Amino acid sequence: MSKGNVLVTGGAGFLGSWLCDFLVREGFRVTCVDNLSSGDRKNLEHLDVEFIKHDARKPFNLGIKVDYIFHLASRASPADFQKYPVDILLTNSLGTYNVLKFAEQNNARFVLTSTSEVYGNPLQYPQNEDYWGNVNPIGPRSCYDESKRFSEALAMAFYRESGLDIRVGRIFNTYGERMRKDDGRVTPNLINQALRNEPITVYGDGSQTRSFCYVSDMVDGLTRLMFLESLRGEVINLGSPNEISILELAELIKGLVNTNSEIIFKPLPPDDPTRRKPDIAKAKQKLDWEPVISLEEGLARTIGFFRASQ
Ligand code: UDP
């Protein structure tokens, strides 16, 4: 018996398809909407989901009824921020509006996948949900940072104005199988360089930090955020609190792949956040959640995936 109808926007992407795996396994009826700009239909091939090719920037006249909506649709790689800034700004403004209107028509519970990028280059460490951030409004990352901030503001406006059951997850760096090889983000870049015995590119001196969460942990956090009761209007960080410098990450990947690659240093992109680590006290308290997969284990699985697709 179905537990209800779920819509996943961006369902053909890396995180979206993992989320669909979980939802199908749990007995939900799942519809995925994706324009396949950064997602891939192959990610859903093994799953019994309804797929609708649709761009979130267009109204959602989909002819379906849903109970729950996970809104993931957006390009999310910093490499894409340079190539598609207008697309990203409109997807996270007009697109989020269209999905929220659809949620309102369906009286559906709505999880917005927001981002640690709302904190910009943070001046507070670690970052908790009360921190308002340090964002350059006109810099090369602003298309993503500002539009995700707008998405949050819009979701909260719907929550306040029409009483929609809105929850916001601020996702920190997440990695795992099904990321795109050419995605441009640090984990797929470094792993694929190592597997090909090519130089491993560290931007800047590699002292900047991130905290990497394995994808199954992220799905666990997102689904708790959706399906637990009494979380209306809550904004919660989801990510790993285990901070590592990018140079340490490069060395770890080098060791796990057992490659001859050398580490080389390239210029640091402008506005690259210096230090990023979530405070997940709220997720622990409200969701009884914290990541359980170690970085070594998650990287080993991810390396296995990319090794098989070389
Ligand atoms: N980075 C790197 N080498 C690469 C790709 C990224 O050193 O080949 C760095 C990037 O400058 C940033 C960090 O790794 O400091 C994480 O980058 P990513 O694009 O994965 O995501 P971000 O956390 O910046 O959104």
Side-chain angles (χ1 to χ4, degrees):
M1 202 183 71
S2 167
K3 289 185 174 174
N5 295 338
V6 187
L7 174 68
V8 181
T9 74
F14 153 60
L15 182 53
S17 67
W18 274 81
L19 184 58
C20 291
D21 277 342
F22 173 91
L23 295 167
V24 170
R25 210 164 49 233
E26 290 294 309
F28 291 94
R29 287 181 43 157
V30 180
T31 304
C32 286
V33 161
D34 203 301
N35 70 354
L36 301 180
S37 59
S38 58
D40 189 338
R41 193 79 177 78
K42 276 211 297 285
N43 288 336
L44 298 171
E45 255 168 10
H46 60 291
L47 281 177
D48 181 19
V49 296
E50 186 186 356
F51 178 77
I52 301 174
K53 186 159 188 258
H54 178 77
D55 191 311
R57 289 168 290 182
K58 303 214 174 79
F60 273 60
N61 305 316
L62 302 178
I64 55 168
K65 279 287 296 170
V66 299
D67 308 298
Y68 304 97
I69 300 175
F70 288 94
H71 179 38
L72 280 74
S74 172
R75 299 175 188 270
S77 169
D80 283 349
F81 302 169
Q82 320 305 318
K83 285 189 234 151
Y84 307 104
V86 176
D87 168 331
I88 290 169
L89 276 158
L90 293 180
T91 300
N92 289 313
S93 51
L94 200 52
T96 300
Y97 173 73
N98 288 331
V99 187
L100 282 162
K101 284 305 280 182
F102 185 67
E104 199 178 38
Q105 285 156 16
N106 282 265
N107 195 23
R109 193 179 285 181
F110 184 97
V111 164
L112 172 70
T113 58
S114 186
T115 167
S116 53
E117 287 285 328
V118 299
Y119 301 125
N121 191 1
L123 303 176
Q124 178 178 301
Y125 173 85
Q127 295 85 52
N128 68 23
E129 293 83 351
D130 294 334
Y131 179 50
W132 291 354
N134 176 41
V135 173
N136 176 353
I138 54 169
R141 299 174 85 99
S142 66
C143 58
Y144 190 65
D145 299 12
E146 293 293 10
S147 65
K148 282 289 189 181
R149 288 170 69 96
F150 178 83
S151 271
E152 286 198 11
L154 194 63
M156 294 310 284
F158 268 78
Y159 162 67
R160 293 190 183 109
E161 204 172 294
S162 42
L164 213 56
D165 188 344
I166 299 284
R167 294 118 191 259
V168 178
R170 289 187 180 148
I171 298 180
F172 285 65
N173 295 67
T174 302
Y175 70 99
E177 300 94 294
R178 298 190 206 143
M179 287 184 98
R180 281 182 296 142
K181 211 187 279 188
D182 60 352
D183 170 284
R185 276 181 280 199
V186 71
T187 330
N189 261 16
L190 270 47
I191 291 175
N192 284 293
Q193 290 162 347
L195 286 170
R196 293 193 293 253
N197 287 312
E198 289 171 0
I200 294 175
T201 55
V202 167
Y203 301 160
D205 63 4
S207 63
Q208 71 273 31
T209 68
R210 297 291 187 272
S211 312
F212 294 94
C213 182
Y214 184 64
V215 62
S216 61
D217 283 327
M218 184 54 64
V219 167
D220 185 28
L222 279 173
T223 48
R224 283 169 192 250
L225 181 61
M226 175 66 94
F227 296 116
L228 290 173
E229 295 305 317
S230 310
L231 291 172
R232 274 171 187 270
E234 294 288 357
V235 177
I236 301 185
N237 284 341
L238 294 171
S240 165
N242 293 324
E243 186 183 11
I244 182 173
S245 76
I246 296 304
L247 186 55
E248 285 171 313
L249 177 75
E251 274 155 4
L252 182 59
I253 289 174
K254 205 177 146 177
L256 287 169
V257 173
N258 196 14
T259 175
N260 298 322
S261 299
E262 55 163 343
I263 293 174
I264 60 165
F265 295 90
K266 296 242 175 152
L268 189 68
D271 294 349
D272 198 283
T274 314
R275 230 180 152 189
R276 185 188 284 157
K277 169 180 167 165
D279 179 337
I280 60 164
K282 191 169 177 187
K284 280 186 184 160
Q285 193 225 330
K286 301 260 181 201
L287 309 178
D288 190 23
W289 174 87
E290 64 183 311
V292 294
I293 305 287
S294 70
L295 185 56
E296 287 76 9
E297 170 63 25
L299 284 176
R301 293 185 199 181
T302 312
I303 289 166
F305 166 79
F306 283 121
R307 201 189 287 281
S309 63
Q310 284 304 298

